[in-house]
Amino acid sequence: MTFAPEDLGRGKADLARALRELRKRAGLSGDRLARRCAMSQSKISKIETGRTVPSSVDVERILRALGATPETTAEVMSIARIALTEWQDARALRRRGLESKQAELADLEEGTREFRFFLLSMITGLLSTPEYIRATLAHVPGDHTRTMARKLDRQRVLHDPTKRFTFVLTEQAVRWPLVPPSHMALQIDRLVSVSRLPSVRIGVIPIGGHLPGCPLNTFTVYDDSMATVEISTGAIVFRDPRDVGSYLAEFESYERQALFGEAARRRLSEWADDCREDLQS
């Protein structure tokens, strides 16, 4: 299925309208449909008015209760998939303020138990030094002191014993010279240090040999319920189980190619030493 970013915002209203019209066509009240689905009447009402976006499982339950035909089911499930996908435009996020995005991420991290990060081209904020974070914000006008403070404060979540983090980084992500060699060496040293935390696994995929597949994007999977995919103009948020499952499978394929534990730390230390050699030359 293909869709344009501008379609994503309309999916929620389209899904609410489609389910409401199907219920009316079936001659059922909201209360009767709720009983058939083993849902509350208030939940059905919120779904039909667009205040709540139902999961794909909820949509399937409603369609079965309504006796929808296979053709109708396929059509509505396609609408549901769009409704469960969100486009976050980078320019709009900047207009809202970078701090608001940090607050959203902190809330998301609070409610997530298992995190999987695939980092294709650069190091994520949870693993970054202050110098590296400052460099990632350099292209955005304004004073980023408070945003940097929020980013650094979010790193406390790595010490939460109830959570699990797996980071898989390509060699390019680790070694891309976003900051001068002295700061890059310190940044890579931080990866080594964080990899020793009980809740954290850091894996690296060195360039060399045969690597099946070709990654296209940085992405993060939160538990098994949501995946965020970053592109140059924004991010796409997937909540449909099929999409999330695809990213879980992709992550596992990269995880199998990565070095972890002492093997990863040795390679990271070699890359940090390379940065120090560059500084001396």
Side-chain angles (χ1 to χ4, degrees):
M1 185 182 79
T2 60
F3 46 76
E6 58 269 21
D7 292 334
L8 303 184
R10 295 199 294 264
K12 298 176 183 179
D14 290 345
L15 179 61
R17 182 170 55 254
L19 292 175
R20 183 172 62 251
E21 290 177 357
L22 285 172
R23 175 184 60 77
K24 291 180 178 178
R25 203 177 303 163
L28 293 177
S29 66
D31 187 56
R32 285 185 64 193
L33 176 60
R35 288 198 299 271
R36 286 191 181 186
C37 298
M39 296 181 186
S40 68
Q41 192 277 330
S42 63
K43 181 174 181 177
I44 293 293
S45 175
K46 289 177 181 178
I47 289 171
E48 290 189 355
T49 56
R51 287 178 291 167
T52 293
V53 180
S55 68
S56 57
V57 173
D58 285 341
V59 176
E60 289 173 348
R61 288 167 63 189
I62 291 171
L63 292 172
R64 283 198 302 270
L66 293 173
T69 65
E71 294 78 13
T72 298
T73 297
E75 181 180 350
V76 175
M77 291 305 298
S78 293
I79 298 172
R81 192 173 188 183
I82 294 175
L84 290 165
T85 305
E86 175 187 351
W87 166 246
Q88 296 181 344
D89 181 78
R91 289 170 296 184
L93 290 173
R94 289 174 194 147
R95 286 195 297 270
R96 287 171 46 208
L98 297 179
E99 285 184 65
S100 64
K101 179 62 176 179
Q102 294 306 305
E104 289 177 11
L105 288 171
D107 289 342
L108 181 57
E109 289 157 0
E110 177 68 25
T112 302
R113 185 181 182 279
E114 185 165 4
F115 303 76
R116 299 171 181 88
F117 291 80
F118 176 70
L119 305 173
L120 176 63
S121 56
M122 63 187 297
I123 298 167
T124 190
L126 288 180
L127 302 175
S128 296
T129 62
E131 292 78 12
Y132 196 94
I133 291 174
R134 186 177 291 109
T136 65
L137 299 171
H139 67 289
V140 182
D143 180 4
H144 304 307
T145 304
R146 294 174 65 179
T147 300
M148 281 189 59
R150 293 296 299 269
K151 278 180 170 280
L152 292 168
D153 184 62
R154 282 177 45 224
Q155 294 178 357
R156 292 186 300 171
V157 74
L158 297 174
H159 299 269
D160 187 333
T162 68
K163 300 182 184 297
R164 294 291 179 268
F165 298 83
T166 302
F167 299 89
V168 174
L169 300 90
T170 65
E171 181 174 344
Q172 175 179 317
V174 176
R175 304 187 71 174
W176 186 262
L178 190 64
V179 292
S182 59
H183 291 314
M184 280 304 304
L186 292 174
Q187 173 59 77
I188 299 173
D189 287 342
R190 171 164 169 76
L191 297 179
V192 173
S193 176
V194 173
S195 74
R196 299 184 188 278
L197 294 175
S199 60
V200 175
R201 296 172 69 235
I202 291 183
V204 295
I205 302 177
I207 295 174
H210 170 66
L211 295 175
C214 182
L216 298 176
N217 301 98
T218 285
F219 63 87
T220 307
V221 182
Y222 297 87
D223 290 324
D224 58 356
S225 59
M226 188 174 85
T228 61
V229 181
E230 298 179 29
I231 62 175
S232 58
T233 55
I236 305 174
V237 181
F238 294 99
R239 294 183 178 84
D240 187 281
R242 293 167 294 181
D243 296 318
V244 177
S246 293
Y247 281 101
L248 280 171
E250 185 175 350
F251 183 86
E252 289 168 2
S253 72
Y254 301 142
E255 190 176 14
R256 288 193 294 270
Q257 299 171 24
L259 303 175
F260 285 91
E262 287 304 322
R265 286 188 278 271
R266 283 194 298 270
R267 190 60 62 95
L268 288 167
S269 295
E270 291 172 6
W271 294 339
D273 289 343
D274 290 344
C275 292
R276 293 185 176 95
E277 289 177 7
D278 291 343
L279 185 62
Q280 295 171 0
S281 61

